[in-house]
Amino acid sequence: MPATPPGKPFTASEDPYALVRTRRYAGLLVMAALLGVPVSAVAFGFLALVSELQSLTYTELPRAMGFEETPSWWPVPLLGAAGLLVGLTVRRLPGRGGHRPAEGLVSTGAPAPADLPGIALAALLSLGVGAVLGPEAPLIALGGGLAVWAAGRVKRDLAPEGRALVGASGSFAAVSALLGSPLLGAFLLMEVSGLAGPMLGVVLVPGLLSAGIGALIFTGLGSWTGLGTYSLSLGEVPPAAAPGFAGFGWALVLGVAAAFAGAGIRRLSLALQERVERRTVVATAVMGLVIGGLALVYAETSGKAASEVLYSGEHDLGHLLSGSAEYSVGALVLLIVCKSLAYCASLSCFRGGPVFPAMFVGAAAGIALSHLPGLHLTAGFAMGIGAMCVAMLRLPMTSVLLATLLLGREGLTVMPLVIVAVVVAYVVTLRLTPAPVDRAGPKAV
């Protein structure tokens, strides 16, 4: 009896493990392992190129034009020009630059080979100049698309379920080290795909194999090139206090607040997306000017770097925690407002992923609230990350793991608080989400 393709319901009479017992599945495991090497190398190269573009546009180019330091107004024209190019890429190239980040992380399968250049170009233009998005969504698409394309060149009669497994494995390899652990990337993709039951193991095994190999490749290339692994990590983490009643009370507050904040960001970004798509090129350039303007306002008002509003925030999380004493409550509130609005504008038209900016906004909110009685700094930081992630992504398991594994040993101490905050934020988020409209109309009785 043929195995059920991933994502397709199966009846009790079908054997969901039939595919695993076949020689074809063993061949797919070998193919997933082999493809994990080039796919992870391409992903590493993509992240290295993004990093070089960021350095070129915000450090080297201003110096070449005679500025000793990057002017605070610099992001405004730069993001406006980048928005124009992203808009042209989305409008003219196949694939429209990949998935629209305002709609969250969604499982759409591996993109067609013709779509890959547009996805890569739109993401490089977005991330390289400071759009408030992360690289995870483009990497998932590029990893899956490249893996399916390469597998098709090797085995042209690959069955649909085989292509699905290979595509998932390529995505696992591409994000294997990005979140700090191959396991975190696996949980992210598992929850995004919505797989459950026996089929989860069928798809997860080759994915984990590719992720493990990908992480090794990332580590090896990072050491060989001296560029690092581009993996999410923190520096020194302040000791966490044991959870108490006050901490659990703050978990409820943070969970509810994150749900409402996430709902606001999501609805505003979707409303902006609807308007942007009417005139993609011009409107994307305008959104770029808006993002640059918000960075300028923050820099001139707070006296801090405009870059704190730009980018995904992945590399600023460590400084935000270790240097929290450098920020007044007013500066943190201004940072949260400017970063959130720039996040909305980026989600509406640029191309990238929504994970890291959500983490940064939640972390900043948790640190700001830690100035109030009863909330410890490290606990507020972790709960803010978990609650805001689940509010934006609706992936509860991934959100808990992101917030706790990132903190190392201290994450285990605050894990109960993070779980409460994530669960509360998840439930309230679902309650705030409008029910799907049945467009088919009333059914005949």
Side-chain angles (χ1 to χ4, degrees):
M1 182 177 295
T4 305
K8 179 180 178 182
F10 56 87
T11 63
S13 62
E14 293 176 320
D15 182 3
Y17 298 108
L19 178 62
V20 180
R21 289 190 285 266
T22 63
R23 183 178 301 176
R24 182 177 51 173
Y25 188 77
L28 288 173
L29 285 176
V30 174
M31 184 179 295
L34 294 176
L35 289 175
V37 176
V39 167
S40 56
V42 170
F44 182 90
F46 176 86
L47 294 174
L49 184 54
V50 168
S51 179
E52 288 300 313
L53 284 173
Q54 291 174 350
S55 176
L56 173 66
T57 53
Y58 280 95
T59 303
E60 298 177 23
L61 187 57
R63 289 178 181 173
M65 296 182 67
F67 296 102
E68 293 184 2
E69 295 182 352
T70 305
S72 57
W73 52 262
W74 185 261
V76 180
L78 187 64
L79 276 156
L84 189 66
L85 295 175
V86 171
L88 287 169
T89 302
V90 170
R91 184 165 183 177
R92 300 295 183 185
L93 294 185
R96 297 189 61 81
H99 102 291
R100 297 178 291 188
E103 298 173 3
L105 281 177
V106 293
S107 178
T108 57
D115 297 344
L116 297 180
I119 293 173
L121 181 58
L124 287 171
L125 290 169
S126 299
L127 304 177
V129 299
V132 187
L133 295 168
E136 65 280 357
L139 285 178
I140 290 171
L142 292 172
L146 287 172
V148 171
W149 174 81
R153 304 283 75 77
V154 175
K155 188 175 178 59
R156 297 187 180 275
D157 60 343
L158 192 63
E161 62 266 28
R163 285 197 297 270
L165 286 173
V166 169
S169 299
S171 296
F172 274 65
V175 297
S176 57
L178 184 64
L179 300 176
S181 165
L183 188 60
L184 263 174
F187 270 103
L188 175 70
L189 291 169
M190 177 187 73
E191 287 197 287
V192 168
S193 65
L195 289 170
M199 289 310 302
L200 172 61
V202 173
V203 179
L204 193 58
V205 168
L208 284 173
L209 179 61
S210 292
I213 292 174
L216 290 174
I217 298 299
F218 264 73
T219 302
L221 287 175
S223 176
W224 179 56
T225 62
L227 297 175
T229 61
Y230 304 105
S231 178
L232 177 63
S233 63
L234 297 178
E236 184 179 352
V237 177
F245 288 110
F248 281 102
W250 277 113
L252 297 175
V253 172
L254 272 165
V256 173
F260 278 92
I265 291 173
R266 190 166 52 253
R267 291 179 183 180
L268 178 56
S269 62
L270 287 171
L272 290 173
Q273 175 183 274
E274 182 180 351
R275 287 160 175 76
V276 164
E277 291 182 344
R278 297 172 187 169
R279 300 190 65 182
T280 303
V281 179
V282 174
T284 305
V286 171
M287 287 296 101
L289 294 174
V290 169
I291 297 167
L294 288 165
L296 173 60
V297 168
Y298 173 74
E300 291 297 315
T301 304
S302 68
K304 297 186 178 296
S307 60
E308 293 185 3
V309 170
L310 304 175
Y311 308 117
S312 67
E314 170 190 358
H315 301 297
D316 291 327
L317 279 171
H319 173 71
L320 190 65
L321 179 60
S322 61
S324 60
E326 302 171 11
Y327 295 83
S328 65
V329 175
L332 286 170
V333 171
L334 181 63
L335 176 59
I336 293 166
V337 172
C338 291
K339 187 84 170 184
S340 298
L341 292 175
Y343 186 24
C344 291
S346 299
L347 287 169
S348 70
C349 55
F350 285 88
R351 293 298 184 260
V355 175
F356 294 117
M359 294 178 65
F360 186 90
V361 170
I367 291 174
L369 289 173
S370 70
H371 287 79
L372 297 174
L375 180 59
H376 189 270
L377 171 65
T378 304
F381 180 86
M383 287 191 290
I385 289 177
M388 198 65 201
C389 278
V390 80
M392 290 301 301
L393 308 177
R394 306 182 199 182
L395 306 176
M397 182 65 74
T398 300
S399 299
V400 170
L401 292 176
L402 272 173
T404 54
L405 295 184
L406 180 62
L407 297 173
R409 183 171 58 183
E410 305 303 327
L412 297 177
T413 302
V414 300
M415 182 180 282
L417 300 177
V418 172
I419 291 173
V420 173
V422 167
V423 170
V424 171
Y426 182 60
V427 173
V428 176
T429 296
L430 295 182
R431 293 294 300 269
L432 293 174
T433 303
V437 178
D438 186 4
R439 300 185 183 278
K443 297 180 181 179
V445 179

